[in-house]
Amino acid sequence: MSKMRGRVLIPLPNTGAMGRKRNNFYMRSVFILALCIFGLLQYHNFNYLDSRDALLSDALANDSADAILSMVPAPLHKYLTPHTRNHSAPAAAAVLQLNSSISGLSNSGFAAAATTINFEAYRPPNISEIKRQIVRYNELQLVLNEDTFGPLQNDSVIIVVQVHTRINYLRHLIVSLAQARDISKSLVVFSHDFYDDDINDLVQQIDFCKVLQIFYPYSMQTHPHEYPGVDPNDCPRNIKKEQALISNCNNALYPDLYGHYREAKFTQTKHHWWWKSNRVFNELEVTRFHTGLVLFLEEDHYVAEDFLYLLGMMQQRTKDLCPQCNILSLGTYLKTFNYYTYHSKTNKKSYASSLISSNSLLGSNRKNNYSNNNNNNGRSLPASSSSTSLKNAKVYVGDTVNADKNNNNNNNIKNNMNNKRTSHMNTVTAASNTNDVNSNYNNNNNNNKNGAQTWNYHVLPSLYSVYQKVESMPWISSKHNMGFAFNRTTWTSIRRCARHFCTYDDYNWDWSLQHVSQQCLQRKLHAMIVKGPRVFHIGECGVHHKNKNCESNQVISKVQHVLRIARNSHQLFPRSLMMTVPSLIKKSKLRKGNGGWGDLRDHELCLNMSLPTR
Ligand SMILES: *[C@@H]1O[C@H](CO)[C@@H](O)[C@H](O)[C@H]1NC(C)=O
Ligand SMILES: *[C@@H]1O[C@H](CO)[C@@H](O)[C@H](O)[C@H]1NC(C)=O
Ligand SMILES: *[C@@H]1O[C@H](CO)[C@@H](O)[C@H](O)[C@H]1NC(C)=O
Ligand SMILES: *[C@@H]1O[C@H](CO)[C@@H](O)[C@H](O)[C@H]1NC(C)=O
Ligand SMILES: *[C@@H]1O[C@H](CO)[C@@H](O)[C@H](O)[C@H]1NC(C)=O
Ligand SMILES: *[C@@H]1O[C@H](CO)[C@@H](O)[C@H](O)[C@H]1NC(C)=O
Ligand SMILES: *[C@@H]1O[C@H](CO)[C@@H](O)[C@H](O)[C@H]1NC(C)=O
Ligand SMILES: CC(=O)N[C@H]1CO[C@H](CO)[C@@H](O)[C@@H]1O
């Protein structure tokens, strides 16, 4: 039988012409068939975009707490539900928390709250008690859930989350982490600069991975009337140097680049970042032999469920895709785009993005107006533990435009810094495309004139795919400060440049890191960046809600939907990575620092944190 079949398949010499004709026919049929399939796919695609659009308008319409909760698997609801203490209604707990964070847990503040809500048994620890607890935690270095998930492997991922006070965002970050594949293999380190019982309860409730809490020991909370907090004899920010010298205040000799004196709350974030990095890489027992990646997150980030998968993939492919890369970035700020640019454009990309998000899909519009509300003459209290929300819009745009504009921007920075550090709220622009950058630049000016923000993040459908696109470029603080990872090799070279980090007159850790990269590192920081972000920034208020509902709901709802779409269309967990040529090769110029870091006490404290301890 098999012989017969074999013979039939061998073409006979005298049927050559017939065979060719027949082949032609087959070829044509195959071609037409392919065309049909292609057409069908296109049609499907089109419909698909439509249905996505519908989905999203749903999403935009409903960001109620219930709707958000319905997107979260039931077992994870516990992280979103405030833990009610024994004797208190939830509302009372909220009041307490508010009061305690405002009054810095001052005794009088607490006493008042306690009497109004009748809270005999529960008292937050006083400051000396908090200090004691912090020392205890930091000495103990207790890794939770180690018995369930086993000891940390030398090459597993460590995730470090910088936590300040915004528990509501932190809840959602935890929920997103809980849903990530392979999270059980990693260690999540929560680094706190505010000791709070509710936050501690929440973190200690985590049961899906190993957890370690560390506490920044030089916080304003634990140093309310002394350096590194505010010492009563510190020079006021805006005093002239001559006056300062006369009044003999503490730091009279050391105003910053722009003639202003230290403000404690602005220096804390950079100190904390430096402290936790040193702590994690060089001091903790559990990381002593760790050679894997350390991923940096903040309390108001949100991760996609394939972020670790993708990180592992990027790490594996670094050698062949981008041998010079020493930092991996999972959360780019996406191409931004607003009504103006949208209406002036007809190209396909804009069309696609308009389908997916006619406005502010991931996005968040930054308030321009924090500073008016505090008595701080300018600089505003960092909303997140990251320094990002403190910078000047123009600075960001300047990062990606040409040299000419850069010069402009430098002037703008100077002026701005000289006057006051006011509207540094626009951190959004990190365009990947020169044209758009320019239009952003212009529109940005428009926005400033109007006093209204129309900046948005956008997720283009083309960004997620079974072949995930990545690109590589020099690390830029404003673009790549979210969800990045590096290993001990990179850290060791950064740490050798501690002097550059600690004495550069800029209160932003990410700008300081860029300074280190450009001025000190032999091998500059070079990033591999995933084009479809896996880390999102949820800690912002939406523009539509103005200030009245400045809660996380709107952005969270959008992120949930983007991820649901990506998931349902099988675009998470990509099969492979594809290197694309970056559309913009940026020559990042070094600038003068942003100031806020002129005080020698800050330089010293920072340097002290990186002294060898073992
Ligand atoms: C939002 O969703 C919740 C629960 O899914 C529902 O009760 C509510 O009516 C919805 N609101 C709007 C405006 O659609
Ligand atoms: C709450 O009170 C009950 C009894 O009243 C007690 O058994 C329980 O341990 C308390 N829980 C906490 C968290 O204090
Ligand atoms: C704070 O707690 C300590 C014990 O940790 C105690 O000795 C001290 O009296 C307390 N101070 C106040 C003001 O309650
Ligand atoms: C990590 O590496 C160290 C030193 O190479 C080794 O002694 C230790 O057993 C390793 N730990 C694990 C969990 O692999
Ligand atoms: C750390 O990353 C660098 C690239 O930045 C790589 O060359 C090196 O092999 C990595 N080290 C380890 C121990 O994986
Ligand atoms: C800025 O804040 C001031 C006072 O807090 C308020 O009156 C003003 O309307 C705000 N401006 C904008 C654009 O929100
Ligand atoms: C830094 O350490 C040195 C020596 O240990 C000490 O004298 C100095 O006071 C420390 N400075 C700060 C700001 O902690
Ligand atoms: C002492 C103190 O600050 N108490 C305040 C606690 O919060 C409530 C509600 O916001 C205020 O009414 C109290 O004055």
Side-chain angles (χ1 to χ4, degrees):
M1 280 298 272
S2 63
K3 261 183 197 168
M4 284 289 284
R5 248 183 228 159
R7 228 176 264 156
V8 170
L9 286 177
I10 299 167
L12 297 171
N14 60 350
T15 57
M18 262 297 259
R20 232 173 293 134
K21 247 183 210 164
R22 207 174 286 161
N23 274 350
N24 268 345
F25 175 74
Y26 284 141
M27 291 289 278
R28 229 175 284 161
S29 319
V30 166
F31 179 73
I32 288 170
L33 197 71
L35 212 66
C36 289
I37 291 174
F38 181 73
L40 264 171
L41 280 179
Q42 288 298 314
Y43 178 74
H44 174 75
N45 218 4
F46 185 76
N47 277 345
Y48 178 60
L49 281 176
D50 270 355
S51 63
R52 275 198 272 194
D53 194 27
L55 247 175
L56 274 165
S57 34
D58 269 0
L60 295 182
N62 197 343
D63 60 3
S64 68
D66 283 348
I68 300 243
L69 206 61
S70 74
M71 299 281 282
V72 175
L76 303 181
H77 285 188
K78 64 182 176 195
Y79 300 118
L80 296 179
T81 342
H83 174 82
T84 50
R85 290 177 189 284
N86 252 356
H87 329 263
S88 63
V95 167
L96 178 69
Q97 200 189 333
L98 195 72
N99 276 344
S100 57
S101 52
I102 286 172
S103 64
L105 291 180
S106 81
N107 287 329
S108 58
F110 175 65
T115 48
T116 49
I117 54 182
N118 194 19
F119 237 33
E120 249 77 63
Y122 172 72
R123 283 177 182 274
N126 64 35
I127 286 179
S128 52
E129 180 59 24
I130 288 178
K131 279 181 165 164
R132 226 171 49 83
Q133 292 291 343
I134 287 178
V135 169
R136 192 178 69 91
Y137 270 106
N138 284 345
E139 273 174 5
L140 208 57
Q141 298 183 24
L142 183 66
V143 177
L144 304 176
N145 304 327
E146 202 170 24
D147 46 347
T148 316
F149 300 110
L152 183 73
Q153 298 301 300
N154 288 335
D155 60 351
S156 12
V157 177
I158 295 179
I159 300 165
V160 186
V161 186
Q162 185 158 332
V163 184
H164 186 48
T165 54
R166 296 185 299 162
I167 189 169
N168 194 26
Y169 293 120
L170 185 61
R171 291 181 185 284
H172 286 278
L173 171 63
I174 289 172
V175 164
S176 73
L177 286 171
Q179 296 174 80
R181 184 188 285 180
D182 287 340
I183 191 70
S184 63
K185 293 178 190 155
S186 53
L187 167 69
V188 183
V189 178
F190 291 87
S191 182
H192 302 270
D193 58 28
F194 192 88
Y195 187 97
D196 177 87
D197 285 320
D198 290 329
I199 294 179
N200 289 342
D201 287 351
L202 173 65
V203 167
Q204 285 157 21
Q205 220 185 333
I206 292 176
D207 57 7
F208 52 82
C209 65
K210 291 185 283 290
V211 168
L212 173 62
Q213 287 182 282
I214 59 180
F215 288 87
Y216 172 65
Y218 313 109
S219 70
M220 294 176 68
Q221 185 192 23
T222 52
H223 300 79
H225 308 298
E226 56 179 331
Y227 181 88
V230 183
D231 187 307
N233 195 36
D234 281 351
C235 305
R237 174 180 185 272
N238 288 323
I239 196 174
K240 291 268 178 306
K241 192 169 175 183
E242 305 86 65
Q243 282 174 286
L245 288 169
I246 292 166
S247 74
N248 199 22
C249 48
N250 285 337
N251 43 342
L253 286 171
Y254 310 109
D256 72 2
L257 268 175
Y258 304 97
H260 298 134
Y261 287 98
R262 174 179 198 270
E263 285 170 278
K265 60 188 166 209
F266 290 99
T267 61
Q268 173 158 298
T269 305
K270 177 168 164 178
H271 280 309
H272 184 179
W273 193 89
W274 187 243
W275 175 82
K276 80 174 179 200
S277 305
N278 278 282
R279 183 88 186 145
V280 167
F281 279 108
N282 300 91
E283 292 172 21
L284 292 180
E285 214 36 57
V286 66
T287 61
R288 185 181 277 271
F289 302 111
H290 186 253
T291 54
L293 288 171
V294 173
L295 175 72
F296 291 81
L297 296 179
E298 294 173 17
E299 65 188 354
D300 60 347
H301 289 170
Y302 191 100
V303 299
E305 59 248 44
D306 65 346
F307 82 107
L308 287 172
Y309 169 88
L310 207 69
L311 191 63
M313 211 171 195
M314 288 166 81
Q315 186 185 20
Q316 228 173 31
R317 300 291 310 277
T318 303
K319 275 214 172 68
D320 56 301
L321 287 182
C322 177
Q324 77 274 32
C325 287
N326 49 11
I327 182 165
L328 307 175
S329 171
L330 290 176
T332 68
Y333 293 94
L334 288 169
K335 197 168 82 143
T336 61
F337 149 118
N338 60 28
Y339 289 120
Y340 309 108
T341 49
Y342 168 54
H343 288 305
S344 70
K345 282 208 172 167
T346 50
N347 68 41
K348 216 170 133 200
K349 235 182 183 175
S350 288
Y351 178 61
S353 64
S354 75
L355 280 180
I356 227 188
S357 60
S358 52
N359 177 33
S360 79
L361 197 138
L362 269 198
S364 68
N365 301 291
R366 309 206 173 208
K367 281 192 303 178
N368 215 353
N369 207 13
Y370 281 90
S371 21
N372 302 340
N373 306 337
N374 63 39
N375 51 5
N376 198 39
N377 284 337
R379 271 180 262 177
S380 58
L381 195 64
S384 79
S385 55
S386 100
S387 52
T388 53
S389 52
L390 290 171
K391 290 169 216 144
N392 187 299
K394 289 164 191 148
V395 175
Y396 276 79
V397 177
D399 247 350
T400 44
V401 291
N402 55 43
D404 196 34
K405 293 241 169 73
N406 254 333
N407 287 338
N408 257 336
N409 289 329
N410 278 340
N411 292 335
N412 284 339
I413 294 167
K414 269 182 221 145
N415 291 340
N416 242 304
M417 285 304 170
N418 277 333
N419 299 337
K420 20 176 183 171
R421 295 188 187 91
T422 45
S423 55
H424 14 226
M425 290 304 136
N426 260 330
T427 68
V428 193
T429 36
S432 50
N433 179 313
T434 333
N435 297 337
D436 288 290
V437 173
N438 287 332
S439 43
N440 279 344
Y441 179 79
N442 295 329
N443 283 318
N444 189 26
N445 289 342
N446 279 346
N447 288 338
N448 285 346
K449 265 182 232 145
N450 298 344
Q453 299 298 310
T454 47
W455 292 102
N456 300 306
Y457 296 127
H458 277 259
V459 172
L460 300 174
S462 61
L463 288 176
Y464 293 92
S465 149
V466 279
Y467 305 102
Q468 180 58 57
K469 288 182 190 144
V470 292
E471 62 182 5
S472 88
M473 62 171 77
W475 190 83
I476 299 165
S477 57
S478 51
K479 280 189 180 189
H480 308 136
N481 61 10
M482 194 165 84
F484 60 85
F486 50 70
N487 67 15
R488 189 179 292 279
T489 312
T490 305
W491 168 250
T492 303
S493 62
I494 293 172
R495 194 165 187 262
R496 283 200 201 102
C497 298
R499 192 156 289 280
H500 281 80
F501 186 91
C502 291
T503 60
Y504 181 54
D505 191 354
D506 192 323
Y507 66 97
N508 299 291
W509 61 262
D510 50 352
W511 282 62
S512 308
L513 197 55
Q514 186 173 340
H515 175 77
V516 162
S517 169
Q518 293 179 346
Q519 293 299 298
C520 178
L521 291 185
Q522 288 188 322
R523 224 183 118 191
K524 303 202 179 322
L525 291 179
H526 199 94
M528 185 196 282
I529 299 139
V530 62
K531 301 270 281 185
R534 262 53 181 194
V535 174
F536 302 89
H537 188 209
I538 55 173
E540 293 294 340
C541 312
V543 73
H544 303 299
H545 292 243
K546 297 257 161 53
N547 294 336
K548 74 173 195 268
N549 182 11
C550 222
E551 271 307 321
S552 42
N553 282 356
Q554 195 188 24
V555 180
I556 291 167
S557 161
K558 283 168 193 163
V559 172
Q560 283 179 336
H561 279 80
V562 167
L563 290 176
R564 183 158 87 175
I565 288 162
R567 186 182 312 129
N568 290 346
S569 53
H570 308 290
Q571 291 177 349
L572 297 179
F573 300 100
R575 240 174 292 149
S576 67
L577 297 182
M578 199 166 70
M579 195 58 145
T580 61
V581 184
S583 37
L584 182 77
I585 306 285
K586 155 110 186 15
K587 291 200 184 67
S588 43
K589 266 207 196 157
L590 195 80
R591 302 192 191 80
K592 238 162 103 175
N594 288 311
W597 197 266
D599 198 316
L600 279 196
R601 293 174 298 179
D602 285 325
H603 298 189
E604 226 173 82
L605 175 62
C606 175
L607 284 166
N608 272 12
M609 288 175 193
S610 37
L611 292 176
T613 54
R614 72 175 181 212

